[in-house]
Structure formats: structure tokens, C-alpha cells
């Protein structure tokens, strides 16, 4: 309660989340219907032209430019208002609770309560960490299998860059 997301600046792709593509010179409220209805936002992240919100219940909402699937809603449709990131069976977020988020240039990351990392969006440089360079519009697990530097590790923080990602391990 009493938490409200506001945004301002460039909005050509709906990254401000106010159901327009109009630039704003002063802070404007992000739409709180749909995916954010009745939710308490505890963290936000801004990517190149998309935005993310983490809710107190572990749900993630996203909006803005979605050409590479960085919204994570199983589409590449731009979103002018927040929509839920896919958590259905087949999504790496299925059955997981998100505790932190990060946005890269055109990709998104989520840290789950079990210390694993999930990613989606542009992947031309391998920034999703799933052993591919295929873009993903549904969250995929970052590789933590044997041979990965994340094998057997618990991640405690994440960060996304223009075309790369980082994780801080508990050790």
C-alpha cells in the first residue's frame, strides 16, 4: 500500500506504462490496472525501451518495446501498460517466486527465491545465458548445470547491461 510507480521522459514505445506513447517532461503515474491491479510494487527496473516491476507477491509485470520478447508475455507485441510476465507451464518462472529483477538493453532478468536466475528477450550475444543466441519471449533458465560458473551456486543479486548480464553469488 502507498507505493506508486511513476515515470517520465521518452515514451515512443510505451516504456512509461501510462497507456500512451507520448513523451512526458514531468513524472506521470504508471497504469495500475491489469497486471498491477491490487499489487504492491517493491522494485522497478528500466531497460533500453522497456520497464519491469516486481510485486510483493513475487509476480513480475513488464511494459514497453517488445521486439525481442523482453516483456516476457509470449509475444513480441509492444505494451503501453503493464502486463504479467509469463509464469505458465513451459516458463522457467512456473512455480517460482521472484525476489529481484533487472533490465538490460533489450532483455530482462529475474532472481528467484531459490537462488536461480531466469532471463528473456534479446539474446544475440548470449546475454540470456541459456547456451543459445535465440531470442526468447518466454522466460528461460540461465544455465547452472555442470560446467557453468553458476553450478552449485546461490545467486544473491543480478544486473543487466546493454548486451550482457551479471550475477553475484553468495560465496
Amino acid at each position: 500500500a502507498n507505493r506508486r510507480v511513476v515515470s517520465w521522459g521518452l515514451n515512443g514505445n510505451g516504456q512509461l506504462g501510462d497507456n500512451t506513447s507520448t513523451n512526458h517532461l514531468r513524472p506521470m503515474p504508471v497504469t495500475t490496472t491489469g497486471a498491477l491491479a491490487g499489487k504492491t510494487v517493491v522494485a522497478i527496473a528500466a531497460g533500453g525501451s522497456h520497464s519491469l516491476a516486481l510485486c510483493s507477491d513475487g509476480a513480475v509485470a513488464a511494459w514497453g518495446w517488445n521486439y525481442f520478447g523482453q516483456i516476457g508475455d509470449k509475444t513480441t507485441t509492444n505494451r503501453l501498460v503493464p502486463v504479467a510476465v509469463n509464469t505458465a507451464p513451459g516458463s522457467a518462472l512456473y512455480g517460482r517466486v521472484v525476489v529481484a529483477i533487472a533490465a538490460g538493453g533489450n532483455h530482462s532478468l529475474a532472481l528467484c527465491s531459490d537462488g536461480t536466475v531466469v532471463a528473456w528477450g534479446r539474446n544475440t550475444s548470449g546475454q540470456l545465458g541459456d547456451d543459445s543466441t535465440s531470442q526468447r519471449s518466454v522466460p528461460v533458465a540461465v544455465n547452472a548445470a555442470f560446467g557453468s560458473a553458476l553450478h552449485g551456486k546461490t545467486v544473491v543479486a543480478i544486473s543487466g547491461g546493454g548486451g550482457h548480464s551479471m550475477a553475484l553469488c553468495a560465496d
Side-chain angles (χ1 to χ4, degrees):
N2 299 325
R3 290 186 183 235
R4 170 172 95 156
V5 180
V6 297
S7 57
W8 58 95
L10 182 65
N11 194 31
N13 296 296
Q15 60 265 45
L16 299 184
D18 69 340
N19 202 26
T20 76
S21 56
T22 303
N23 297 347
H24 293 293
L25 301 178
R26 64 175 174 224
M28 301 295 288
V30 170
T31 301
T32 56
T33 58
L36 293 181
K39 303 276 188 175
T40 299
V41 175
V42 296
I44 53 176
S49 291
H50 73 290
S51 303
L52 303 170
L54 174 62
C55 301
S56 60
D57 63 359
V60 180
W63 58 95
W65 195 49
N66 197 26
Y67 184 82
F68 298 103
Q70 59 267 44
I71 302 302
D73 67 344
K74 204 174 181 179
T75 76
T76 54
T77 303
N78 293 354
R79 303 297 184 175
L80 300 180
V81 298
V83 297
V85 172
N86 188 306
T87 60
S91 166
L93 289 178
Y94 178 71
R96 290 198 163 120
V97 175
V98 176
V99 296
I101 53 173
N106 294 303
H107 69 289
S108 303
L109 301 157
L111 173 60
C112 299
S113 60
D114 62 1
T116 60
V117 183
V118 172
W120 59 95
R122 190 173 192 175
N123 197 26
T124 54
S125 301
Q127 57 265 51
L128 301 187
D130 70 338
D131 287 326
S132 83
T133 55
S134 300
Q135 72 184 36
R136 309 289 186 171
S137 62
V138 173
V140 295
V142 171
N143 186 333
F146 184 76
S148 166
L150 292 180
H151 180 70
K153 304 292 183 180
T154 299
V155 176
V156 296
I158 53 175
S159 182
H164 68 291
S165 301
M166 296 179 71
L168 176 66
C169 299
D171 64 352

